Amino acid sequence: MLTLKLLRESPDFVIRRLAVKNFDATDIVNKIIVLDDHRKALQTRSDALLADQKKAAAAIGQLMKEGKKEEAEQAKAEVAKLKARSGELLDMAEDNNTKLNELLAQLPNIPCAQVPEGKGAEDNVVVKTGGPEVGLPEHALPHWDLAKKYDIIDFDLGVKITGAGFPVYKGKGARLQRALINFFLDRNTEAGYKEVEPPVLVNAASGFGTGQLPDKEGQMYFCGEDGFYLVPTAEVPVTNIFRDVILPEDRFPQKLTAYTPCFRREAGSYGKDVRGLNRLHQFDKVEIVRIEKPENSYAALEEMIAHVESIVNDLGLKYRILRLCGGDMSFTSAITYDFELWSAAQGRWLEISSVSNFESFQANRLKCRYKDENGKTQLAHTLNGSSLALPRVVAALLEDNQKEGYIEIPEVLRPYTGFDRID
């Protein structure tokens, strides 16, 4: 959430930068300033009434000492009126603040200066490519046909049990899932990330803290009786570990990693681009989260990008890194880099990771703060990245490593799978 201080001091800057995200903030920013002016006026009136109440209350005691009971009763009546008026002002202030916070919650994060302008994925900027060229055998198959051929993923059985987008992993397919999760977690912990196992159900305050609510409410599965949401990513519970926390300076950086199943409704998804593992309602993902002091967050972002790239290189897959344009960025992000793998069998790129710096946007919602060297409370910066999301990694692994009559397992995964091929 953007701060009132920024909106008051630089409204034109906010409006101009949010236009890079194709978001017209003019009306909302102007309304916020009007409501904030009203908030200040109500506070001034409330303070004046409180002073009058204290003065009148003090006078009552003196009048009683002097035996002026009638005047004391009149003073008491005046205090009662002042209290009633104070109550009215308090109700007005609460209503005003509710409207103000609702408007603040509607403003997305400001994209940083490095974010290119653009309306959608076609305007993203490729900043790097890497990995080997893929040579496929004749009559190569897409992963959904490979999954059926080798009986490792059953999409139809998932439809029977739950519905589309909930596959069943079988045999070596299930072991490959477990192997990838453990491999990713091990690589992250070796890089200094502390492993945590968070809940996969979160409350509304957690969803608001990381910006999923109210922006992505329609994409999340909701348990109505308890008021809980199934997590769309481990970013939500892990980052919320630091909600309402003031960190001392010597506690930076905070580096955490977690595996969770993830749940996304993805309403309206259909067509060839969502076949097989390309888009699921339930999938496995390993996440990395960092809490940083503002002056260190962009160096941390570069470290995270390099870390994710090293894992992709170890898997021996062809990839590219994109800097997202304003129109393709999330509501909460200040800058995002996407990793995509090349699916030679499908002839298309598959997104497998997003690495983002949210600057102080999430921290302001979370009230995640720290004490600086002068003892002043400041907002921290939050970052997160997929390290990695499994479905499309598995899709690319199966497709790009298919041989005549078997699928070869990358050497780095063999200690985790216990086998070197699927046949």
Side-chain angles (χ1 to χ4, degrees), residues 11-26 29 107-111 115-119 325-328:
D12 292 338
F13 168 77
V14 171
I15 292 168
R16 185 172 66 254
R17 290 307 298 161
L18 287 181
V20 175
K21 282 191 170 182
N22 303 308
F23 187 92
D24 185 357
T26 306
V29 170
L107 290 176
N109 197 5
I110 292 173
V115 173
E117 295 185 6
K119 294 189 179 299
C325 70
D328 202 30

Side-chain angles (χ1 to χ4, degrees), residues 24-224:
D24 185 357
T26 306
D27 186 52
I28 294 177
V29 170
N30 289 337
K31 286 179 178 177
I32 286 172
I33 291 172
V34 169
L35 286 169
D36 191 44
D37 286 338
H38 193 211
R39 177 187 65 82
K40 292 177 180 179
L42 287 170
Q43 186 63 54
T44 299
R45 290 163 63 188
S46 182
D47 290 344
L49 276 174
L50 182 60
D52 289 343
Q53 284 181 54
K54 289 180 178 179
K55 184 178 178 181
I60 291 170
Q62 184 61 36
L63 289 169
M64 292 296 288
K65 285 181 182 180
E66 296 172 359
K68 300 177 180 179
K69 293 184 178 180
E70 186 175 339
E71 292 180 37
E73 290 301 320
Q74 290 176 353
K76 286 181 182 179
E78 181 62 24
V79 168
K81 289 180 182 178
L82 291 171
K83 285 183 177 180
R85 183 57 181 150
S86 290
E88 292 173 4
L89 285 177
L90 180 61
D91 290 341
M92 291 170 64
E94 288 180 353
D95 181 62
N96 187 80
N97 288 341
T98 297
K99 293 176 180 177
L100 179 61
N101 289 327
E102 286 175 351
L103 287 175
L104 283 169
Q106 292 177 33
L107 290 176
N109 197 5
I110 292 173
C112 79
Q114 301 174 54
V115 173
E117 295 185 6
K119 294 189 179 299
E122 65 279 1
D123 297 315
N124 294 334
V125 177
V126 178
V127 297
K128 189 174 184 180
T129 58
E133 291 299 320
V134 181
L136 294 181
E138 190 177 2
H139 307 304
L141 299 174
H143 70 271
W144 51 85
D145 288 336
L146 291 169
K148 186 173 184 179
K149 177 179 178 180
Y150 295 107
D151 194 28
I152 53 175
I153 308 171
D154 196 323
F155 297 101
D156 294 333
L157 185 56
V159 171
K160 172 187 173 181
I161 295 171
T162 308
F166 296 88
V168 175
Y169 300 88
K170 302 164 65 176
K172 287 185 175 181
R175 289 174 66 183
L176 178 60
Q177 287 285 115
R178 180 156 46 92
L180 283 166
I181 291 166
N182 288 333
F183 171 62
F184 294 154
L185 286 171
D186 283 352
R187 285 298 311 273
N188 294 344
T189 55
E190 288 165 8
Y193 292 87
K194 181 179 181 179
E195 184 179 350
V196 295
E197 185 177 345
V200 297
L201 288 167
V202 295
N203 55 32
S206 293
F208 179 82
T210 46
Q212 275 68 33
L213 298 177
D215 180 54
K216 295 181 175 65
E217 189 168 10
Q219 297 180 26
M220 297 172 71
Y221 286 98
F222 181 58
C223 304

Side-chain angles (χ1 to χ4, degrees), residues 238-399:
V238 174
T239 311
N240 270 277
I241 290 171
F242 302 95
R243 177 155 48 93
D244 297 321
V245 169
I246 299 178
L247 290 164
E249 273 204 295
D250 61 4
R251 293 277 304 281
F252 286 93
Q254 290 287 330
K255 300 170 63 176
L256 300 179
T257 184
Y259 153 70
T260 64
C262 302
F263 304 88
R264 299 182 187 178
R265 293 183 64 232
E266 301 282 8
S269 298
Y270 62 91
K272 65 180 180 64
D273 289 344
V274 299
R275 283 197 67 181
L277 298 172
N278 287 346
R279 185 166 296 174
L280 301 176
H281 296 304
Q282 178 181 331
F283 59 95
D284 293 320
K285 182 154 70 81
V286 176
E287 196 81 359
I288 50 176
V289 170
R290 291 178 71 148
I291 311 296
E292 295 280 352
K293 293 172 68 174
E295 61 266 29
N296 299 330
S297 70
Y298 276 88
L301 177 67
E302 293 302 318
E303 287 180 20
M304 293 170 74
I305 293 168
H307 174 66
V308 173
E309 184 179 10
S310 72
I311 297 175
V312 176
N313 272 318
D314 282 349
L315 292 172
L317 298 170
K318 182 180 178 180
Y319 66 92
R320 67 180 184 180
I321 305 173
L322 308 175
R323 184 187 300 130
L324 299 193
C325 70
D328 202 30
M329 286 173 63
S330 74
F331 181 86
T332 52
S333 176
I335 186 168
T336 295
Y337 289 86
D338 272 5
F339 282 74
E340 295 182 337
L341 296 180
W342 176 248
S343 166
Q346 297 182 65
R348 61 191 292 258
W349 292 98
L350 306 174
E351 181 198 332
I352 49 99
S353 175
S354 288
V355 183
S356 301
N357 189 346
F358 306 103
E359 297 187 356
S360 63
F361 188 83
Q362 286 183 335
N364 191 32
R365 286 172 166 244
L366 294 160
K367 299 297 178 280
C368 173
R369 297 160 290 176
Y370 70 99
K371 294 280 190 181
D372 65 17
E373 62 275 10
N374 299 315
K376 188 177 180 181
T377 302
Q378 306 283 3
L379 289 171
H381 278 194
T382 65
L383 305 92
N384 87 277
S386 315
S387 182
L388 294 160
L390 269 70
R392 295 168 188 166
V393 171
V394 171
L397 279 174
L398 297 179
E399 293 176 359

